[in-house]
């Protein structure tokens, strides 16, 4: 697709650096390859105190049910088990970016995006009186067809500040890019060449 201005993300601190100069970032400065973070995917604690959660195959099925089949889900794990996040990575192309944005918009249009997650997240982390993950409609809903409890998922396009949510093994291969640059580069490549008359 040509040269796109990318900046390596330092895995140790998640801050974008170019040489020694700190770079100002915005929500347009996204993790590359395009990545969507799906939140609220923890399910329960086991007897040994570790968390279980939605796995890669189950997340792929959930995404397929809502019409998103191009991303590759990867559950995030930590010392206490499942971290409650699934990272969905797309191809490092304009089409991959469009698919990631489409999933991002799906969550946002259903009031389950970054902003909504930031409002319910403190309760998810177990503030006093909210220790259970199954409290309230912000975390679990009852499926009317199957009569089963299902997690309410939140999701958003990963920007530089979300780098700590990307699994450690994958951080080393992630860059940051301004999504406007990707779209501009793609637009420049598909413009028809000006006709020359003699």
């Amino acid at each position: 697709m040509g040269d796109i201005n990318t900046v390596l993300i330092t895995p140790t601190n998640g801050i974008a650096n170019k040489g020694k100069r700190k770079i100002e970032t915005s929500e347009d400065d996204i993790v590359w390859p395009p990545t969507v973070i799906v939140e609220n995917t923890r399910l329960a604690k086991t007897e040994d105190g570790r968390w279980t959660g939605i796995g890669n195959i189950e997340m792929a099925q959930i995404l397929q049910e809502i019409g998103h089949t191009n991303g590759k889900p990867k559950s995030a794990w930590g010392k206490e088990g499942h971290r409650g996040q699934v990272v969905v990575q797309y191809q490092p192309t304009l089409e991959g970016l469009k698919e990631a944005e489409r999933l991002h918009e799906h969550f946002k249009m259903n009031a389950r995006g970054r902003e909504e997650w930031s409002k319910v997240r403190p309760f998810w982390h177990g503030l006093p009186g909210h220790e259970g993950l199954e409290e309230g409609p912000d975390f679990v809903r009852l499926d009317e067809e199957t009569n089963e409890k299902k997690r309410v998922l939140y999701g958003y396009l990963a920007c530089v500040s979300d780098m700590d949510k990307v699994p450690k093994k994958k951080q080393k291969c992630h860059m940051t890019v301004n999504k406007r640059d990707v779209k501009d580069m793609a637009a420049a490549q598909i413009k028809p060449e000006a006709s020359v008359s003699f």
Side-chain angles (χ1 to χ4, degrees):
M1 193 167 88
D3 291 331
I4 299 171
N5 294 327
T6 59
V7 179
L8 183 63
I9 297 174
T10 308
T12 56
N13 61 14
I15 297 171
N17 288 297
K18 193 172 191 175
K20 296 196 184 261
R21 183 172 64 90
K22 187 174 178 183
I23 294 177
E24 299 276 330
T25 61
S26 73
E27 283 197 24
D28 281 340
D29 294 320
I30 60 169
V31 171
W32 192 257
T35 302
V36 172
I37 297 173
V38 181
E39 301 274 13
N40 195 35
T41 59
R42 274 185 182 165
L43 298 176
K45 266 192 177 179
T46 59
E47 289 180 11
D48 65 357
R50 292 178 55 81
W51 286 101
T52 62
I54 295 174
N56 303 343
I57 294 171
E58 187 179 356
M59 180 54 71
Q61 291 169 341
I62 291 168
L63 293 173
Q64 186 173 16
E65 288 171 12
I66 59 173
H68 295 270
T69 57
N70 294 327
K72 184 177 180 182
K74 176 72 177 156
S75 298
W77 294 86
K79 292 177 183 175
E80 296 178 2
H82 202 288
R83 287 179 27 194
Q85 299 153 340
V86 176
V87 174
V88 184
Q89 186 174 319
Y90 292 83
Q91 290 297 316
T93 63
L94 179 61
E95 286 305 312
L97 175 58
K98 286 180 179 177
E99 285 299 307
E101 286 181 320
R102 193 167 72 87
L103 182 57
H104 169 88
E105 285 301 315
H106 167 83
F107 285 112
K108 191 174 180 180
M109 295 298 291
N110 287 289
R112 296 288 183 252
R114 179 187 297 274
E115 187 177 334
E116 292 80 10
W117 178 245
S118 69
K119 291 175 183 172
V120 300
R121 184 173 182 240
F123 299 107
W124 187 80
H125 278 287
L127 287 179
H130 297 86
E131 289 83 4
L133 285 179
E134 298 205 1
E135 286 189 31
D138 290 328
F139 303 107
V140 176
R141 66 175 174 80
L142 191 64
D143 187 314
E144 294 175 11
E145 292 178 19
T146 63
N147 227 14
E148 292 178 31
K149 288 183 177 182
K150 291 197 173 181
R151 301 302 300 165
V152 174
L153 302 179
Y154 297 78
Y156 47 87
L157 191 62
C159 59
V160 176
S161 61
D162 299 313
M163 195 58 196
D164 61 330
K165 298 173 185 172
V166 175
K168 297 281 185 219
K169 289 180 183 177
K170 290 195 171 267
Q171 282 184 8
K172 292 176 184 173
C173 62
H174 277 75
M175 308 289 273
T176 178
V177 65
N178 189 290
K179 62 182 173 181
R180 289 184 309 254
D181 292 345
V182 176
K183 291 176 181 178
D184 289 347
M185 177 71 69
Q189 288 183 353
I190 58 173
K191 274 186 187 173
E193 291 184 25
S195 58
V196 179
S197 56
F198 294 101

